[in-house]
Amino acid sequence: MNALLGVFFHFLGGFSSGSFYLPYKKVKGWSWETYWLIGGIVSWIIVPPLAAFLTIPNFWEIIQNESSSILGLTFLFGALWGIGGFTYGLGVRYLGVALGSSIILGLCMVFGSLVPSIYYEFSPQTGKDNIGLMLSSKWGQMVLLGLFVCVIGIIISGKAGMMKEKELQTDSLDPHGTQVKTEYKFGLGLIVSIISGVLSACFNFGLEAGKPMATVANELWKNANPGQGEFLFQNNVTYVVVLWGGMAVNLIGCLYLAIKNKSYTDYTKRNVPVLSNLIFCAMAGTMWFLQFFFYGMGESKMGNGASSWILHMAFIILIANLWGIIIKEWKGVSKKTTTTIAIGMTVMFISILIVGYGNSLR
């Protein structure tokens, strides 16, 4: 039952992440860095403390009482994750959306799911799954099989994206719905994409680093609610610190682009629907945070091991591809290309079933 609930919560998180860019499509007259910054203020500064306050009333005391080393490491991983997200744009610029996205998301999935378990192999901690345990247990082998199958699905989807770009001969849209002009440089693009993929996985490392805060929240809740299992919202306190790190990087990046592109004038433009733009940015930012909110709920049922990260990433990719089909981003491509993306999505769905089954065996 816990595994089934965990899969469901990860689906909700993946749906939120795979759908958050849709409100941004309604923003008019603003540059990318302008609406990304407004949405980021909502998703990284406003909503996380609010969610923590509503679910963990003493969350600020938990943060204040935590050691500076844990807070610093959690913040650092959040900042590295922010760099990974920002360099994503360079990866798709030099490799194209399909190939760049496939490499970045594939590496993010693999590193985010396996590095913590490898780390705990050499530095064991109670309640943490290590790679040796996964390789020697049936449930762990199934989870790793699911990871392998999902990577195959990403590769097939990337191939479909490359076919689409070639057939339509138009500027591509990245997963955020932003038009991207590509400048193909394979060597440079590969390096940037590897950096982006590895650093993007640091969000999961941030959760691991800040786990002591979540553990305190969990223990306080369990003491007040004996016999009711694990606290669904324990990670909300950790998100506050991780997302501070992400916001610091994105704030610097957006301000740099605003000065470089002189887009800081967007806020004072005439004939721009400022109020509706703010509302759509707030909607996008809230949906962006909800992916973490539901991830935390799924993690409380399945543990913050490889399986949670794999399911999170797989659902994001699957939902984003589904939206691409629904809003007709694949309109006009050949039947072969349509079949290829359908196969890729099917393979990723199968990987979700495999990982879910693996967790049910624990």
Side-chain angles (χ1 to χ4, degrees), residues 297-319:
M297 295 174 69
E299 184 269 345
S300 71
K301 293 296 183 182
M302 303 178 70
N304 189 31
S307 54
S308 282
W309 190 250
I310 295 168
L311 288 173
H312 180 67
M313 293 297 299
F315 275 125
I316 289 174
I317 301 166
L318 186 62
I319 296 298

Side-chain angles (χ1 to χ4, degrees), residues 236-252:
N236 284 354
V237 63
T238 310
Y239 291 150
V240 174
V241 182
V242 175
L243 293 175
W244 278 345
M247 183 61 196
V249 170
N250 279 269
L251 177 62
I252 294 171

Side-chain angles (χ1 to χ4, degrees), residues 46-61:
I46 298 176
V47 177
L50 177 61
F53 173 76
L54 293 175
T55 55
I56 311 172
N58 58 337
F59 82 96
W60 190 246
E61 294 179 15

